[in-house]
Amino acid sequence: MKNIGIGILFSILWSSASVATKFGVRSAAPLILANVRFFIAGILLLSFSYLLSKDPSYRMPNKKEWKQLALFGFLNTTLYLGLYVYAMKFTAAGIGSLAVSVNPLIIVLLSAWWLKRHPRTEEWLGIILGMAGVGVATYPLLADSYTTIGGITLLLISMIAVSAASVYYATVQWELPNLLINGWQVCLGGVFLLPVTLLFSDFSTTVWDGTFWLPVLWLSLAVSIIGLICWFYLLRIDTVKASLWLFLCPLFGFFFAWWLMDEPVTIYTIVGTVLVIGGLYAGQRRKLMS
């Protein structure tokens, strides 16, 4: 029951990110929102790791680890979260949650190219069903101006970036604790994004009100810290079973988008979600049955 509770909590927190982002970009440019979130989460994680933990494994990275953290942070934070936050200004919140759930399918393709791992037939089927599901769910939102083609394109690029980060993460023999890895990669990702934010964001239109700070604090504390702690806990138990909790993200995501933002839930939404979940199941079925 404890593991189930943690899994459900992770799914709720992870799927809430798109709605929180949609609220935040009402008061600030997307990249400003992203940078503030990254630095808050990173500083809190590193402060806990170095000031409160007495574990000797919480040390400063060496030269090789700095390079690994920098590349991981660039892919996982600068590219993925930077593009994701920007895309959410032009994309429905529910679609943002649905897109996150296709990451395992993109990872299959990247693994085939990067790790020379050839996808099986059922994995190709999963990819086709997953992409079809996103297309079906997106179709009516394009007509109603909830989502744009440009937003979907940025969202897709962000999903490729985070999938590449996941594949890279799997190739590294990390010796640092997970909290330290996450703290440094978030901070470094924020540093890499900062010049772009300073050059292209309009700070004069930023309103430092509750509509800005509440989403930022939720994204920093609930999603980037508590959500990831839950995720790392689930990964330590079983990696494959942990990925199953991503199945719930579209369901919670569309619920939050309907409840908090009045986004429509139509037959297209339901069919698209079913296709994505079916694709995820098809791609992971062999692992789940073993």
Side-chain angles (χ1 to χ4, degrees):
M1 291 300 296
K2 176 184 177 182
N3 295 343
I4 292 174
I6 291 175
I8 293 175
L9 177 61
F10 162 76
S11 300
I12 291 173
L13 294 177
W14 214 243
S15 60
S16 71
S18 58
V19 172
T21 301
K22 290 288 286 185
F23 276 113
V25 296
R26 292 177 177 178
S27 294
L31 296 184
I32 295 176
L33 179 77
N35 254 132
V36 174
R37 168 194 178 181
F38 299 157
F39 287 133
I40 289 177
I43 290 171
L44 288 176
L45 284 167
L46 293 177
S47 297
F48 172 82
S49 300
Y50 288 121
L51 299 179
L52 299 180
S53 177
K54 297 181 180 179
D55 190 328
S57 63
Y58 285 81
R59 55 175 174 78
M60 291 297 292
N62 57 40
K63 183 177 180 180
K64 180 181 179 181
E65 290 168 338
W66 278 122
K67 294 179 181 179
Q68 295 169 338
L69 289 166
L71 180 54
F72 184 51
F74 179 73
L75 291 172
N76 195 67
T77 297
T78 308
L79 280 184
Y80 162 48
L81 290 175
L83 289 172
Y84 181 84
V85 169
Y86 198 83
M88 291 313 300
K89 191 173 181 65
F90 311 99
T91 309
I95 295 300
S97 296
L98 186 63
V100 169
S101 67
V102 304
N103 282 341
L105 308 179
I106 302 176
I107 288 172
V108 170
L109 287 178
L110 289 178
S111 297
W113 168 69
W114 196 334
L115 304 179
K116 308 302 180 184
R117 177 188 177 278
H118 299 291
R120 296 186 295 271
T121 302
E122 61 267 27
E123 291 173 331
W124 282 114
L125 175 61
I127 292 167
I128 293 171
L129 288 175
M131 296 306 174
V134 174
V136 169
T138 303
Y139 174 73
L141 297 174
L142 292 173
D144 295 333
S145 299
Y146 281 92
T147 298
T148 65
I149 294 295
I152 289 295
T153 302
L154 290 174
L155 197 59
L156 178 60
I157 297 173
S158 76
M159 293 303 108
I160 295 173
V162 71
S163 299
S166 299
V167 175
Y168 174 71
Y169 184 88
T171 66
V172 176
Q173 296 294 324
W174 298 99
E175 296 181 2
L176 293 171
N178 286 330
L179 287 181
L180 210 52
I181 293 171
N182 190 40
W184 279 119
Q185 68 91 12
V186 170
C187 271
L188 291 172
V191 170
F192 298 147
L193 184 64
L194 188 57
V196 180
T197 302
L198 295 175
L199 285 174
F200 297 104
S201 295
D202 185 0
F203 284 81
S204 65
T205 60
T206 302
V207 181
W208 308 94
D209 58 1
T211 306
F212 173 82
W213 284 111
L214 287 176
V216 163
L217 292 175
W218 180 265
L219 290 166
S220 302
L221 304 177
V223 180
S224 293
I225 295 180
I226 299 176
L228 281 174
I229 289 173
C230 293
W231 180 241
F232 290 143
Y233 174 85
L234 295 168
L235 286 176
R236 283 199 299 269
I237 297 173
D238 189 293
T239 304
V240 174
K241 290 182 178 179
S243 67
L244 289 176
W245 295 107
L246 290 172
F247 290 14
L248 291 180
C249 287
L251 305 180
F252 286 122
F254 277 116
F255 171 75
F256 289 140
W258 165 78
W259 177 36
L260 297 172
M261 309 206 73
D262 294 323
E263 290 186 5
V265 176
T266 66
I267 187 64
Y268 291 95
T269 307
I270 297 170
V271 172
T273 302
V274 169
L275 285 173
V276 169
I277 293 176
L280 287 168
Y281 176 76
Q284 299 289 329
R285 186 173 63 87
R286 181 176 296 189
K287 292 180 180 179
L288 299 176
M289 299 300 291
S290 62

